[in-house]
Amino acid sequence: MDLKGIITDRAYASYDSTLEKEVRAGEMPKHIAIIMDGNRRYAEEVLGEAPLEGHKLGREKLEEVLHWCMDLDIPILTVYAFSMENFKRAEDEVEYLMELLEQSLYEFADDEEVHANRVAIKVIGERSALPENVLKAMDYATERTGMYTDHYLNMAIAYGGRQDIANAARAIAVDVREGRLDPEDIDEDTVSRYVSTTGMPDPDLVLRTSGEVRVSNFLLWQLAYSELYFTDVYWPGFRHIDFLRAIRTYQQRVRRFGR
């Protein structure tokens, strides 16, 4: 009998339960955005496996975190699934990631809990940069869940924050040229209507795993007043208590929005 392991498991369960009660008693963020980082390092350093195995585990972790959000009634989860810069990785890794994203979109779209909790799945990013199989999976997920409004899972695929702002500026310029928009009426709210997350509140909490302390071109317009949280835990090893700690930290901060 592994007595030490039993004691550790019980201590973890007790702490998790206490922390969850504390978090549920506080104000819950409405929108959490996550930079899911550390898949490859987790596979190599923790498991001694090939880097690609970490991506598979990272996909499974996303499903788990989505369910945590639904359980805490956090309506919006936005995740950085694949950046434009990720296309610079080795060809076999990019191909594997595209296949994994395709699979994930189909599985999320058919997930019973997704439908029971009325989760709309939306993909933000450059469609033109993605292969046909991923585009078909995106359209399938939108068709299956696009009518829901209770919860949202936004997957940033082939996404870049600067690109998002540039696309918004281009669309605004077109509407000005076509007479649909007066330049004198352009303000921050206008730009917010043209970026990829239009219609949604900006993230309350942006968290990044793996120990890196930067936002890496993620939601640059939207995170102007977001609370930032960094943890050194690799994404596949991200635990429920790590998630609760991030929310508790958010709850402990005083958000003044410049006032």
Side-chain angles (χ1 to χ4, degrees), residues 4-6 9 42 59 62 104 110 138 148-149 151 157 190 206 213 216 226 244:
K4 183 178 180 181
I6 292 174
D9 290 343
Y42 183 85
R59 178 256 175 269
L62 171 56
S104 298
D110 291 332
M138 288 166 50
Y148 297 143
T149 57
H151 293 85
I157 303 175
T190 306
V206 177
V213 186
S216 295
S226 302
L244 294 173

Side-chain angles (χ1 to χ4, degrees), residues 198-211:
T198 179
M200 296 184 184
D202 292 338
D204 299 301
L205 172 64
V206 177
L207 72 89
R208 179 174 187 152
T209 57
S210 88

